[in-house]
Amino acid sequence: MVPIAEPSAGVVTDASTTDVIDGLDYWRTLPIKQQPAWPDPSAVQAASAEIAALPPLVFAGEVDTLRERLAAAARGDAFLLQGGDCAETFAGATADQIRDRVKTILQMAVVLTYGASVPVIKMGRMAGQFAKPRSSDSETRDGVTLPAYRGDIVNGYDFTPESRRADPARLVKGYHTSASTINLIRAFTQGGFADLRQVHSWNRGFASNPANAAYEHLAKEIDKAIRFMEAAGADFDELKRVEFYTSHEGLLMDYERPMTRIDSRTGDPYVLSSHFVWIGERTRDLDGAHVDFLSRVRNPIGVKLGPSTTPDDMLRLIDVLDPDREPGRLTFITRMGAGKIRESLPPLLEAIKGADATPLWVSDPMHGNGLTTPTGYKTRRFEEIMDEVKGFFEAHRAAGTHPGGIHIELTGDDVTECLGGSEHIDEATLATRYESLCDPRLNHMQSLELAFLVAEELAAN
Ligand code: PEP
Ligand code: MN
C-alpha cells in the first residue's frame, strides 16, 4: 500500500485519488444490484469527479463518536431512534418540512428518554436518503413502459420518458440538497431550537388527541424537573444542544464512492455522505459489491434483515462486516413483519448468543408490513407496526439480548399514508393527504403514539 501524504490534523482527503487503499475499489469487480442504467457514462464520471472534489458532509470524528454511542446501545445502555422519509425528495427539502421532521424526532426522543430513563441516540433518515432500491427495473402504466423511479438522486417521479431518464446532474444536486439539509439540522440542534426548555413548543395539534395530551402532560413534568434543578443551581449546557446524526441507505455507488474520503488522523476510509449507512434487504448478498465496499470503510454500518435470513447468513455478515468485533460497528435492523417476527427473530438471537459478537439490534417495523388497498394505495396498518415492535421486544426478553433501537419511516406532516392510529385513518381517508413517492410513513401523531408504546416496552424491559 502506497503511503498517503500526511495532511494537517482533521483534514480529510479525497479518496478517489488514493486507490492506494487496499481493495477500496474491489467492489467494481463484483456483482452489483440496484444501480441505474445511466444513458451517458462519461457524464456520470464527470458528476462523480465533481462530487469527489466537494467537501465531506460530516466529519470522521463525529462518525467515531456515533460508533461509541451505538456500542452503548448494543450493551443496553442507550437506545437508537432512527427515523425519516422512505425517500427524501428535492422538493421536500424545505425549511418547514425539515423542521417538522426534526421536531417529531425530538418529541419521540423526549418520550423515550423520560419514559424509560435511557439516553436516546437521535438519527434522521435525512440529508441523503435519496436513492431507492426497486422490485422492478421498469414500470408500466396503460401499456407504456418506462424505467422505475429510483429516487430523486437518479431520476424524476413524473411518468414521462424525459423525467424517468437517469440524469447524472441529479447526483450533484443530491449532494447540495443533502448539504443544505444537514446545515439546517445542525442549526436547529445546536442553535437553541432543540433546547429542552422548548419541549412544549415542539408539540402541535389538538390536546384532545390522546398522544398529544399525553405528550403535554409529560412536557409539564419535564418543565417542573428543569425548574427544580435550575432553582437548585444546576447549570445545564447539555439541555441546550442535542447530538443528531444522519443516515441513509448506502446504495448508489456513483455517489457513495466519491463521498468516501481518507481521514488524515488515521489514514482510514470513511463514507462522509452521512454518519451511518445501511445495506438494504435487496443488496446484502455476501459476495456482492455493497457488502464488500462497506466492509472497508470505518463508519458504523447497518444491515436490514428480512424474514428469510438464516443464522448462517447472519454469522457470515458479521465475519465480513465486523471481523474485529468492534463495539458499535454493526447494527442489524430486523424487518420481519408482524406475522413473522415471533418466529424469525428468535433463531437469530439464539445464534448470536453462541457467537462472540454483540451487534446492535434495531426494529424496523415498517418494511415487513406493507399492503396495497383495492384502490391502489401502498399502505401499512398502524396496529401491525405496533405489533411487530412488541414482538421484537418479546423476542429479546425471551433471549436475554438487548432491544437497542427502532427504525421508522415518518414525517412531521399530518399525512394520511398509514391506516389506523388514534385519528382512525381508514382506506377512504388515505386519499386526503397521501404524499409519499415511495413507502407510506407514520404521520406526526402516529409517530408520537409509537414512541409511547416503545417507552412502555423499554420501561418494562
Ligand atoms: C427502506 O428502508 O426504505 C427499504 C427499502 O428497506 P428494505 O431494504 O428493508 O426493504
Ligand atoms: Mn421504505
Side-chain angles (χ1 to χ4, degrees):
M1 179 166 142
V2 181
I4 299 156
E6 184 57 42
S8 57
V11 172
V12 177
T13 57
D14 163 19
S16 65
T17 55
T18 51
D19 289 334
V20 293
I21 294 290
D22 282 331
L24 194 54
D25 279 303
Y26 187 67
W27 63 271
R28 294 184 195 277
T29 68
L30 300 174
I32 187 160
K33 289 185 178 161
Q34 297 288 345
Q35 305 304 294
W38 300 108
D40 180 355
S42 66
V44 182
Q45 275 174 14
S48 287
E50 186 175 343
I51 291 167
L54 291 165
L57 294 175
V58 300
F59 166 49
E62 298 174 313
V63 175
D64 292 336
T65 306
L66 173 62
R67 200 187 314 100
E68 287 164 22
R69 302 282 184 262
L70 297 176
R75 286 196 307 270
D77 295 334
F79 193 77
L80 173 67
L81 171 62
Q82 186 177 15
D85 288 327
C86 176
E88 288 181 286
T89 61
F90 295 161
T94 64
D96 286 0
Q97 288 190 46
I98 294 166
R99 181 199 58 212
D100 288 343
R101 247 173 304 152
V102 169
K103 224 187 230 184
T104 302
I105 293 171
L106 291 176
Q107 281 188 273
M108 292 176 79
V110 159
V111 170
L112 291 170
T113 314
Y114 194 81
S117 305
V118 65
V120 174
I121 306 159
K122 293 135 207 120
M123 188 188 282
R125 275 176 73 113
M126 291 179 79
Q129 177 53 19
F130 289 116
K132 296 309 298 174
R134 303 316 307 252
S135 45
S136 169
D137 283 339
S138 61
E139 182 183 347
T140 301
R141 289 189 201 172
D142 303 327
V144 180
T145 299
L146 293 174
Y149 171 62
R150 289 191 170 276
D152 272 12
I153 199 166
V154 173
N155 58 1
Y157 185 74
D158 286 351
F159 196 72
T160 64
E162 304 72 44
S163 148
R164 286 293 170 96
R165 195 181 143 94
D167 176 3
R170 286 176 172 272
L171 290 165
V172 179
K173 186 156 182 189
Y175 169 90
H176 289 294
T177 309
S178 300
S180 56
T181 302
I182 197 170
N183 179 60
L184 192 59
I185 292 174
R186 290 190 193 280
F188 282 143
T189 54
Q190 304 301 310
F193 178 84
D195 190 317
L196 209 48
R197 293 169 187 83
Q198 304 294 321
V199 65
H200 285 285
S201 70
W202 305 332
N203 206 16
R204 321 165 40 230
F206 304 107
S208 57
N209 183 287
N212 253 335
Y215 180 84
E216 263 312 309
H217 177 73
L218 186 147
K220 274 194 193 118
E221 289 186 28
I222 291 173
D223 263 354
K224 215 165 129 188
I226 293 174
R227 281 202 304 272
F228 167 71
M229 296 298 277
E230 278 176 337
D235 189 18
F236 287 111
D237 229 22
E238 289 73 19
L239 300 186
K240 294 191 185 120
R241 281 177 277 277
V242 300
E243 277 180 27
F244 196 104
Y245 295 98
T246 58
S247 68
H248 60 261
E249 179 171 349
L251 179 71
L252 185 61
M253 293 306 296
D254 295 308
Y255 181 70
E256 304 303 344
R257 178 61 184 85
M259 285 307 294
T260 303
R261 313 296 167 86
I262 305 303
D263 177 20
S264 66
R265 303 168 309 161
T266 56
D268 291 329
Y270 287 71
V271 179
L272 295 179
S273 54
S274 69
H275 300 105
F276 179 94
V277 281
W278 75 85
I279 306 174
E281 167 74 354
R282 293 168 189 77
T283 50
R284 63 174 167 79
D285 313 56
L286 279 151
D287 51 3
H290 290 89
V291 168
D292 184 82
F293 175 65
L294 291 173
S295 74
R296 298 170 193 274
V297 300
R298 289 284 294 136
N299 304 60
I301 303 294
V303 186
K304 294 283 199 94
L305 300 181
S308 65
T309 314
T310 64
D312 190 53
D313 294 335
M314 178 193 74
L315 294 172
R316 292 202 293 162
L317 281 165
I318 295 173
D319 279 339
V320 176
L321 289 168
D322 185 22
D324 301 329
R325 308 297 194 258
E326 188 182 11
R329 157 70 173 175
L330 186 59
T331 297
F332 284 135
I333 306 167
T334 62
R335 29 90 83 222
M336 305 294 188
K340 295 193 176 143
I341 181 84
R342 291 172 180 83
E343 69 196 62
S344 301
L345 185 54
L348 302 183
L349 299 183
E350 280 314 311
I352 209 76
K353 287 199 287 184
D356 58 347
T358 48
L360 167 61
W361 291 97
V362 170
S363 169
D364 164 358
M366 314 297 292
H367 288 90
N369 294 311
L371 66 115
T372 304
T373 64
T375 44
Y377 283 99
K378 261 175 102 175
T379 187
R380 292 159 171 156
R381 290 185 205 285
F382 188 64
E383 295 304 309
E384 288 183 344
I385 292 168
M386 302 271 268
D387 190 42
E388 176 154 357
V389 171
K390 284 186 194 152
F392 173 79
F393 275 92
E394 279 166 34
H396 281 282
R397 224 168 272 144
T401 45
H402 297 298
I406 49 166
H407 179 119
I408 303 292
E409 288 183 343
L410 59 78
T411 168
D413 304 330
D414 298 324
V415 298
T416 55
E417 297 174 4
C418 291
L419 295 167
S422 61
E423 298 158 305
H424 306 293
I425 295 170
D426 59 17
E427 287 188 22
T429 318
L430 288 180
T432 35
R433 194 167 168 195
Y434 193 105
E435 295 177 2
S436 177
L437 299 191
C438 211
D439 292 334
R441 303 159 297 176
L442 296 185
N443 65 21
H444 174 256
M445 200 54 57
Q446 291 168 329
S447 302
L448 267 192
E449 285 179 69
L450 182 71
F452 279 106
L453 169 87
V454 175
E456 240 173 67
E457 292 286 338
L458 259 179
N461 217 47

